[in-house]
Amino acid sequence: MDVNNLGVGSGIYLDNNATTRIDPKVIEAMMPYFETYYGNASSQHGFGVPVEKAIKKAREQVADFLGAKYPDEIIFTSCASESDNTVLWSSLWTQKDKDEIVTTKVEHPAIIDTCSFLADRGVKVKYLSANSVGDFDEEEFKSLLSDKTALASIMWANNETGNIYPVPRFAEIAKERGIMFHTDAVQAVGKIPINLQETKIDLLSMSGHKIHAPKGIGALYVRRGTRFLPFLHGGHQERGRRAGTENVPYIVGLGVACELAKSHLEELNTRVRALRDKLEQGIVNTIPEVIVTGDKTHRTPNTLNVAFKFVEGEAILLMLNEYGIAASSGSACSSESLEPSHVMQAMGIPFSAAHGTIRFSLSRFTTEEEIDKTLAVLPAIIERLRQLSPYWNVNKPQVKQADHLFDPDSQEVRA
Amino acid sequence: MWDYSDKVKDHFLHPRNARVMEDANAVGDVGSIICGDALRLMLKINPVTQVIEDASFQTYGCGSAIASSSALTEMIIGKTVEEAEKITNQQIADYLGGLPPEKMHCSVMGREALDAAIANYHGKSYEQSHDDGEIVCHCFGVGINKIKKAVWENHLTTVEEVTNYTKAGGGCMSCHMRIEEIIDEVWVDLERCGVPRPGHAPTPIPSIKIKTVSSNAQASFDSATENSPFKAEILKILADVQGGLPAGSKVELVAIEDHNVKVKLQGEIAQGMMREMTLSFVEKKLVALDDKFKVVGV
Ligand SMILES: Cc1ncc(COP(=O)(O)O)c(C=O)c1O
Ligand code: FES
């Protein structure tokens, strides 16, 4: 096993909230649109016809998966980030008398960073705070809305903790006040049942690569009757709502991935959930001083986020990688930024734990054997790193000469 | 994933000297749980020969923090305190076959732990041995002295590099302007020492500026001023300041009375906010010479 090239070996992939393995059935469905059906859907000749049909079918598959009333409510985009950006800009452009956006502190950067970009340019952004398990308060949400609010945007499920938010309820509240409502549902689709017709949600973003389609394809749901301006201007593709010649193979792939996701939804909530719970129990029972972060009662069935106190996340990931196990961390060191994840900070997770958070995210391809293997190596890894950590003093001799104590709860910084 | 050298991985997966040394006679604690890394370095120094006979560590942090600590212990065992003090953070990084630029602060932390341990050996407390100076980055509690040292030793030229080495600037970013100023300040000195600043137009040679000013300012001073031991240096500082003033503005020495320095401002800097800023700027420069200095405009 080459630990720098786990994809080709027998690597254990527990990082499905970052991206997922492309389902072989998806690849199979896509291939003809590289090789045979390379026409342009807009062409007035026989090369275009099958392509146009394929896009139509994919649109129906996505609409069906999301419970949209009409297939034309689905716009194909290049990724969920594009869908998110489109929504933020469109809501401001189409409502010139409104200049406020209400969102949350735990959104994905596709929303949060775009909002701070807009805030630097005069848009007023209000952030809903999260409590210690990462949930929101309905009353606080209400208090942030005003007649200046152009858009309320709340993610359906959080990528780090897996928390599922009562988005249909928030959409109702916004609608009562005539406020446009968007949800970034990238981490919710395929994990919880979604039926947009039954909700008041106006706009929804999703991404292909989180549901076993390839990277670089996403979708934006725009309910009929919602004010909308395109983000990309040019040709008249997607009914003039998103220019650019359609990425046909990927659109076909997304359609099939949605159909598969629908048929595997049950499995996610039974078999995969049981594996996640097994992993969680195994960790909590064998490793002291761990915190399961997030709201245990409202979580996507595939996600487990655990903070291992007194050790640092990147070090854990490196050791796991040595055993061929892939997960991710909210620690500062494993990202480009020097601070722990904004989600952990918003939840007020103490620093002694925030730097040691590891997210395990499973998928329908995860097997029980993989979970067992992970549980077999994890306790020893944490123990090893704690043996190195000056914040962990259980069963360790003490240095006599030391004039200072490493206190995990201290705010002190020694440079 | 970080692109770590094989040596970094080796030291991370098989750390050398990772244990608590109960009878250490030098202990250096640095870092913090807030910043995400902390290190305790423990040494056994022979009081007669000053040789570091044993070294061990305890580290909380990422792979490269653990590897840097491990490398440091290997590098210093067998050296005298005096020899060990000469080790730079770059040498720690080199020993490990290089560190990714974003991880250079791990080697800096190793270096600091060594300083702290040696101070502890000499019976100094962390506070006594440590002068952070003005705190520049509040997010990571980084003082000006650490930034200056990192810029000076590693010839850093950008805020990004300073962040990689010291973490300063890696949070809210509100300190970036100040860090830029500090980089400039250090480079003025580096250039004086003959280090060319990459991609930078060389600053004009200061002696030329002094000439122009002193020829204009043929002022004669009272005897207290003439006899002040600081006169030459104050004139030089004022000439430096003069060099950075807008055209038509002038700063002139009027008198030195003990530590009170009277100066006269002319041109657009003589009024309002510019006046305040110029006076406090001059005072800051003088205080660097001796912290009793006060500057008054006349
Ligand atoms: C909640 C959430 N929103 C948006 C995105 C971005 O999706 P994409 O990579 O398709 O732009 C992600 C993926 O990381 C996500 O988890
Ligand atoms: S003060 Fe330096 S990054 Fe915030």
Side-chain angles (χ1 to χ4, degrees):
Chain A
M1 183 173 65
D2 175 2
V3 299
N4 287 319
N5 192 6
L6 287 175
V8 296
S10 50
I12 297 177
Y13 189 73
L14 299 178
D15 200 8
N16 286 281
N17 285 9
T19 198
T20 56
R21 170 178 168 194
I22 308 175
D23 193 304
K25 292 197 193 90
V26 170
I27 301 174
E28 195 189 327
M30 289 171 69
M31 284 320 284
Y33 296 88
F34 287 111
E35 290 165 340
T36 312
Y37 306 114
Y38 55 82
N40 187 324
S42 312
S43 298
Q44 302 304 315
H45 48 62
F47 285 91
V49 178
V51 172
E52 201 187 339
K53 277 197 187 138
I55 295 177
K56 181 164 177 280
K57 175 159 182 223
R59 204 182 303 282
E60 285 164 4
Q61 285 166 319
V62 179
D64 177 58
F65 174 54
L66 296 176
K69 196 161 178 193
Y70 309 100
D72 62 33
E73 292 175 323
I74 305 299
I75 301 174
F76 291 113
T77 61
S78 67
C79 59
S81 301
E82 183 194 323
S83 303
D84 287 347
N85 273 262
T86 305
V87 168
L88 292 170
W89 285 98
S90 173
S91 72
L92 293 165
W93 283 331
T94 55
Q95 305 172 88
K96 289 289 181 201
D97 52 333
K98 299 183 174 181
D99 63 353
E100 290 183 11
I101 287 174
V102 173
T103 185
T104 80
K105 286 198 176 147
V106 298
E107 297 295 313
H108 187 270
I111 293 283
I112 278 217
D113 287 11
T114 313
C115 280
S116 70
F117 176 87
L118 292 168
D120 288 344
R121 284 154 186 81
V123 177
K124 197 164 163 199
V125 185
K126 296 179 181 169
Y127 297 95
L128 189 52
S129 56
N131 66 15
S132 62
V133 294
D135 286 341
F136 312 128
D137 173 26
E138 199 174 296
E139 293 309 313
E140 188 190 348
F141 176 60
K142 286 181 188 160
S143 74
L144 297 182
L145 301 174
S146 80
D147 52 7
K148 284 283 180 197
T149 311
L151 181 79
S153 176
I154 298 185
M155 68 191 336
W156 206 324
N158 185 271
N159 42 311
E160 290 190 30
T161 56
N163 276 19
I164 299 169
Y165 298 116
V167 161
R169 173 75 194 124
F170 287 127
E172 264 168 38
I173 296 171
K175 257 6 263 181
E176 277 163 22
R177 292 156 208 237
I179 293 167
M180 206 183 267
F181 187 89
H182 166 252
T183 182
D184 177 336
V186 169
Q187 296 290 348
V189 298
K191 296 169 192 161
I192 60 170
I194 288 179
N195 190 353
L196 285 170
Q197 279 174 74
E198 287 174 1
T199 73
K200 298 273 192 255
I201 295 165
D202 296 308
L203 302 133
L204 173 145
S205 306
M206 64 166 284
S207 183
H209 71 101
K210 313 278 181 175
I211 56 164
H212 307 285
K215 295 144 200 65
I217 183 74
L220 172 61
Y221 162 85
V222 184
R223 183 182 293 272
R224 276 196 188 175
T226 307
R227 285 167 159 252
F228 186 82
L229 275 173
F231 190 58
L232 275 189
H233 296 265
H236 292 272
Q237 294 87 359
E238 304 296 295
R239 296 177 181 240
R241 292 172 303 180
R242 201 270 185 185
T245 302
E246 299 87 342
N247 186 358
V248 186
Y250 284 67
I251 289 173
V252 169
L254 180 63
V256 174
C258 283
E259 203 177 301
L260 291 171
K262 193 176 167 182
S263 64
H264 284 284
L265 186 60
E266 177 72 20
E267 184 189 349
L268 258 286
N269 283 284
T270 49
R271 188 184 71 83
V272 178
R273 180 188 293 276
L275 289 184
R276 189 272 312 270
D277 291 344
K278 180 173 187 185
L279 181 60
E280 176 173 332
Q281 281 316 310
I283 289 173
V284 172
N285 291 341
T286 54
I287 305 175
E289 296 284 355
V290 296
I291 307 173
V292 176
T293 71
D295 182 350
K296 283 197 229 177
T297 55
H298 300 98
R299 251 184 323 173
T300 46
N302 77 319
T303 308
L304 169 64
N305 193 308
V306 216
F308 297 94
K309 292 178 84 176
F310 317 122
V311 287
E312 203 277 335
E314 190 217 71
I316 304 173
L317 289 186
L318 280 172
M319 291 239 179
L320 279 172
N321 194 67
E322 286 299 309
Y323 293 97
I325 300 168
S328 77
S329 164
S331 96
C333 276
S334 49
S335 68
E336 299 289 321
S337 128
L338 287 175
E339 293 190 330
S341 115
H342 68 284
V343 177
M344 296 303 142
Q345 291 191 45
M347 289 161 56
I349 303 289
F351 281 101
S352 54
H355 286 293
T357 54
I358 299 291
R359 178 188 69 189
F360 299 97
S361 46
L362 288 56
S363 80
R364 61 178 186 248
F365 293 106
T366 309
T367 64
E368 178 148 21
E369 193 196 346
E370 291 177 321
I371 297 300
D372 290 341
K373 274 193 188 158
T374 306
L375 282 172
V377 298
L378 196 54
I381 289 177
I382 302 300
E383 174 59 21
R384 227 171 121 186
L385 289 170
R386 283 184 176 160
Q387 281 309 320
L388 294 178
S389 169
Y391 290 104
W392 180 258
N393 291 313
V394 179
N395 298 330
K396 277 190 196 166
Q398 281 308 301
V399 188
K400 296 183 194 82
Q401 168 100 355
D403 60 353
H404 162 258
L405 195 80
F406 277 105
D407 172 6
D409 300 318
S410 141
Q411 300 286 313
E412 163 203 55
V413 176
R414 289 188 159 217
Chain B
M1 206 165 95
W2 296 110
D3 187 15
Y4 287 135
S5 71
D6 290 342
K7 198 105 188 252
V8 172
K9 280 199 194 144
D10 179 37
H11 274 264
F12 166 64
L13 293 171
H14 313 284
R16 330 285 201 262
N17 311 306
R19 68 196 138 82
V20 175
M21 195 193 295
E22 276 175 274
D23 54 348
N25 61 359
V27 182
D29 289 353
V30 292
S32 108
I33 204 147
I34 297 179
C35 301
D37 41 29
L39 157 58
R40 167 171 283 173
L41 181 68
M42 291 152 277
L43 310 178
K44 202 175 291 161
I45 300 173
N46 183 320
V48 181
T49 59
Q50 300 296 310
V51 168
I52 300 172
E53 290 176 341
D54 196 5
S56 76
F57 76 94
Q58 287 269 283
T59 293
Y60 163 84
C62 58
S64 58
I66 291 170
S68 296
S69 312
S70 165
L72 174 67
T73 57
E74 289 284 278
M75 288 170 78
I76 59 178
I77 291 176
K79 287 205 166 63
T80 64
V81 171
E82 201 183 326
E83 286 163 350
E85 271 179 322
K86 295 206 186 86
I87 292 173
T88 65
N89 71 284
Q90 187 60 49
Q91 284 170 325
I92 301 175
D94 290 346
Y95 183 91
L96 286 167
L99 285 172
E102 296 84 352
K103 296 287 187 178
M104 283 304 287
H105 59 82
C106 295
S107 66
V108 172
M109 183 169 78
R111 185 58 259 245
E112 284 168 351
L114 182 58
D115 284 341
I118 294 171
N120 172 270
Y121 175 68
H122 291 308
K124 288 192 204 143
S125 73
Y126 172 82
E127 287 73 20
Q128 279 169 336
S129 63
H130 231 80
D131 180 14
D132 289 332
E134 159 206 355
I135 295 295
V136 175
C137 176
H138 292 275
C139 289
F140 289 98
V142 185
I144 185 166
N145 293 340
K146 177 168 176 178
I147 296 174
K148 280 191 165 168
K149 189 159 180 245
V151 174
W152 177 266
E153 286 180 354
N154 301 288
H155 297 175
L156 310 182
T157 57
T158 63
V159 175
E160 197 187 334
E161 286 174 334
V162 170
T163 308
N164 289 341
Y165 277 73
T166 67
K167 292 196 171 189
C172 71
M173 305 188 185
S174 64
C175 56
H176 281 199
M177 285 263 287
R178 183 73 189 103
I179 295 176
E180 273 169 18
E181 285 172 7
I182 296 168
I183 294 172
D184 287 341
E185 283 167 27
V186 175
W187 272 99
V188 169
D189 292 336
L190 278 170
E191 286 182 310
R192 283 212 181 103
C193 298
V195 183
R197 183 165 181 179
H200 233 259
T203 45
I205 300 160
S207 60
I208 292 178
K209 274 191 277 172
I210 292 170
K211 233 180 194 164
T212 47
V213 175
S214 52
S215 62
N216 294 346
Q218 287 175 343
S220 60
F221 299 111
D222 62 28
S223 63
T225 307
E226 285 297 352
N227 295 330
S228 164
F230 298 106
K231 184 187 157 216
E233 271 168 300
I234 291 175
L235 279 174
K236 186 161 168 284
I237 286 170
L238 289 180
D240 266 337
V241 173
Q242 177 71 45
L245 293 180
S249 295
K250 238 182 185 177
V251 51
E252 275 175 14
L253 180 65
V254 177
I256 308 171
E257 298 167 8
D258 201 356
H259 279 89
N260 289 323
V261 179
K262 291 186 179 166
V263 297
K264 189 168 152 198
L265 303 181
Q266 283 174 26
E268 59 172 290
I269 58 156
Q271 255 85 50
M273 213 171 80
M274 288 288 277
R275 180 183 173 84
E276 294 304 320
M277 279 168 58
T278 312
L279 288 174
S280 69
F281 184 65
V282 173
E283 184 164 290
K284 223 164 103 192
K285 292 260 175 186
L286 292 182
V287 165
L289 212 61
D290 186 320
D291 60 15
K292 289 203 247 9
F293 273 122
K294 289 265 173 308
V295 174
V296 268
V298 296

